[in-house]
Amino acid sequence: VEAGADVLANGGTAADAMIAVQTVLGLVEPQSSGLGGGAFLVWYDAETGTMTTLDGRETAPLAASPTLFQDENGEPLGFFDAVVGGLSVGTPGTPKLMEEAHRRWGRTNWAGLFDPAITLAENGFAVSPRMADSIAGDADRLQRFPATAEYFFPGGTALSAGDMVQNADYADTLRQIAARGADAFYTGPIAEDIVTTVRTAPGNPGVLSALDLALYDVAARDPVCVEYRVYDVCGMGPPSSGALTVGQILGMLNAYDISDPNAADTWRLIGDASRLAFADRGRYMADSDFVPMPTKGLVDPAYLATRAALLAGDDALPEVAAGTPEWDHAMIWGDDASIEFPSTSHISIVDSYGNALSMTTTIENGFGSRLFVRGFLLNNELTDFSFATHADGYPIANRVEPGKRPRSSMAPTIVMKDGAPVLVIGSPGGSRIIGYVAQAIIAHIDWGMDVQQAVADAHLVNRFGTYDVEAGIDRVTLEAPLTDLGYKVNVTDLNSGLHAIAIGDKLTGGADPRREGVAIGE
Ligand code: GLY
């Protein structure tokens, strides 16, 4: 965050600052995001008053087939059997996304933006407690590959909090990208090393090729926006399910009074709106460049009103199913059951020009594929696809296809009022991202919490029926009333990493106390 703040203080834009932040994060929080991963970026441009999104999601290799994650009998692989190794590695998007954001919105010399990360990589950085805990918790998988083991277990001992670590290979990779742009990553020796690492991963080789890397491109897409109260909540459309699912939840809640954050009925409404939205997500949401999707229909106010009407009772809905949004296509999809674990990182930035940036960035699972090359980890993003190709005889929209981008839950969001941004927000957390972001927006808008309170607020998340209630935080007292309403309640840790900026007369930042981020600025 300090690296980004320095860029802003020297006249840089939010896009410039993001590059400094992302490259430092790839060093000091390597388990969550980095050059070997992908990201989605939402940009509000102060000069034009417009919003754009950049899709830097990983793509499936051209040699991938829909049965990529099935065994010889057509059975889905175990999750970690698929994750660890080369099979799960998609073509990284983050280096190209940084370059495209800089090309569109940067004002600072490209090469200089890599200096903070290069300096830290060469001089050494202190391992954080979270990074150390993550390494200790993943020892077996991290030690499967020599290069990964050597970095995270030097001399056979796990890195501990406070250890000073240098990463000369990362510094060298950054120097090459600084000098020659993203091409230095997508072609030539770095690309060759990535491909070799993936294709020769012991036990689980993948199919990524030099052509996949050479062909990779970032897509600019329109944001998906949904009205909530007097606001427009805007974010990342397909291939992310983030904005559509957050938008559906809020769009349904428009019809209800949820002003009491401690009332069980408030959580019944939020929880069942979320279940209904997740049912649609499981059936319809995927990469719309590859499969037809009722994108507009899913957030059409008339459709959301019919879904909201289902919430009019007093108890938890006994069951939920996908709805039938308006759609000019006759395809019937099967329901997806992808496995999604918490991971990822989030960056929110507002600059002195009034531009706002919300970017969620990931290598998917903690430590991604566990493959380490040239000083960074490679993603396992392809396991965000459905391992099964069909359900009940119908094709699954989010099945693997060559060149396709796996469905994401990442929900980088900018909330607008009267055409101007008022809140920049997002979070890591796998498919719980959607609940974290929706709840924090509700906390800020409906419950009047400032951004710090909103991101720290006790979480309750309902995706598929079970109510996850955050352990050890005051609203855990809702366990009994929610059980009485008919929910199965699961009291658990909920590791969000919300980062938000409220834009008013001044900027107010909030950083999630559950992670290691901070909010700084002036
Ligand atoms: N891999 C996390 C997400 O895209 O949702």
Side-chain angles (χ1 to χ4, degrees), residues 124-275:
F125 68 96
V127 172
S128 75
R130 187 178 174 88
M131 179 174 163
D133 286 351
S134 304
I135 294 168
D138 202 57
D140 288 347
R141 288 187 278 261
L142 286 172
Q143 291 182 94
R144 257 179 65 176
F145 306 110
T148 319
E150 205 174 296
Y151 185 70
F152 293 104
F153 291 79
T157 305
L159 291 174
S160 305
D163 284 356
M164 293 302 290
V165 176
Q166 291 164 319
N167 188 340
D169 289 344
Y170 187 64
D172 178 65
T173 300
L174 292 180
R175 275 193 203 290
Q176 295 196 46
I177 299 172
R180 294 198 290 117
D183 271 359
F185 180 95
Y186 289 95
T187 59
I190 297 175
E192 284 162 22
D193 276 2
I194 293 171
V195 169
T196 304
T197 303
V198 168
R199 295 180 85 99
T200 61
N204 196 14
V207 294
L208 190 74
S209 73
L211 185 63
D212 293 310
L213 283 154
L215 289 178
Y216 185 82
D217 215 352
V218 165
R221 304 183 189 278
D222 290 337
V224 166
C225 295
V226 174
E227 276 183 35
Y228 183 59
R229 314 295 187 209
V230 296
Y231 301 89
D232 289 300
V233 178
C234 298
M236 192 71 221
S240 184
S241 62
L244 286 170
T245 315
V246 169
Q248 282 205 327
I249 295 168
L250 297 177
M252 283 181 247
L253 293 173
N254 258 329
Y256 293 95
D257 175 5
I258 52 166
S259 55
D260 182 354
N262 296 313
D265 199 54
T266 293
W267 291 102
R268 177 187 68 79
L269 289 162
I270 295 173
D272 276 353
S274 177
R275 289 169 67 198

Side-chain angles (χ1 to χ4, degrees), residues 1-21 23 102 106-109 112-116 349 351-353:
V1 180
E2 284 171 9
D6 285 349
V7 172
L8 296 180
N10 288 317
T13 65
D16 295 323
M18 173 276 288
I19 295 164
V21 173
T23 47
H102 186 262
R107 289 190 185 207
T108 305
N109 177 268
L113 296 170
F114 294 78
D115 286 346
I349 306 176
D351 65 27
S352 61
Y353 311 102

Side-chain angles (χ1 to χ4, degrees), residues 3-4 7 13-26 35 41 94-118 170 174 177-178 347 349 357 359:
V7 172
T13 65
D16 295 323
M18 173 276 288
I19 295 164
V21 173
Q22 175 65 81
T23 47
V24 172
L25 278 180
L35 297 176
L41 186 160
T94 299
K96 253 294 173 33
L97 179 136
M98 293 193 302
E99 185 174 71
E100 183 61 18
H102 186 262
R103 189 187 70 74
R104 287 171 176 255
W105 306 303
R107 289 190 185 207
T108 305
N109 177 268
W110 163 259
L113 296 170
F114 294 78
D115 286 346
I118 292 171
Y170 187 64
L174 292 180
I177 299 172
I347 302 164
I349 306 176
L357 173 151
M359 172 167 144

Side-chain angles (χ1 to χ4, degrees), residues 22-116:
Q22 175 65 81
T23 47
V24 172
L25 278 180
L27 178 72
V28 303
E29 194 194 40
Q31 69 272 20
S32 297
S33 76
L35 297 176
F40 293 116
L41 186 160
V42 183
W43 176 266
Y44 170 77
D45 195 78
E47 198 177 319
T48 60
T50 56
M51 201 179 293
T52 310
T53 72
L54 292 184
D55 167 357
R57 186 70 161 168
E58 296 89 335
T59 52
L62 294 174
S65 79
T67 56
L68 187 74
F69 295 122
Q70 296 178 10
D71 66 17
E72 58 281 4
N73 302 316
E75 293 300 321
L77 297 179
F79 182 68
F80 283 107
D81 294 337
V83 164
V84 180
L87 203 60
S88 63
V89 180
T91 318
T94 299
K96 253 294 173 33
L97 179 136
M98 293 193 302
E99 185 174 71
E100 183 61 18
H102 186 262
R103 189 187 70 74
R104 287 171 176 255
W105 306 303
R107 289 190 185 207
T108 305
N109 177 268
W110 163 259
L113 296 170
F114 294 78
D115 286 346

Side-chain angles (χ1 to χ4, degrees), residues 57 343-344 362 364 381 384 408-410:
R57 186 70 161 168
S343 49
T344 312
T362 188
E364 214 306 281
E381 216 69 55
D384 272 355
S408 173
S409 301
M410 295 197 285

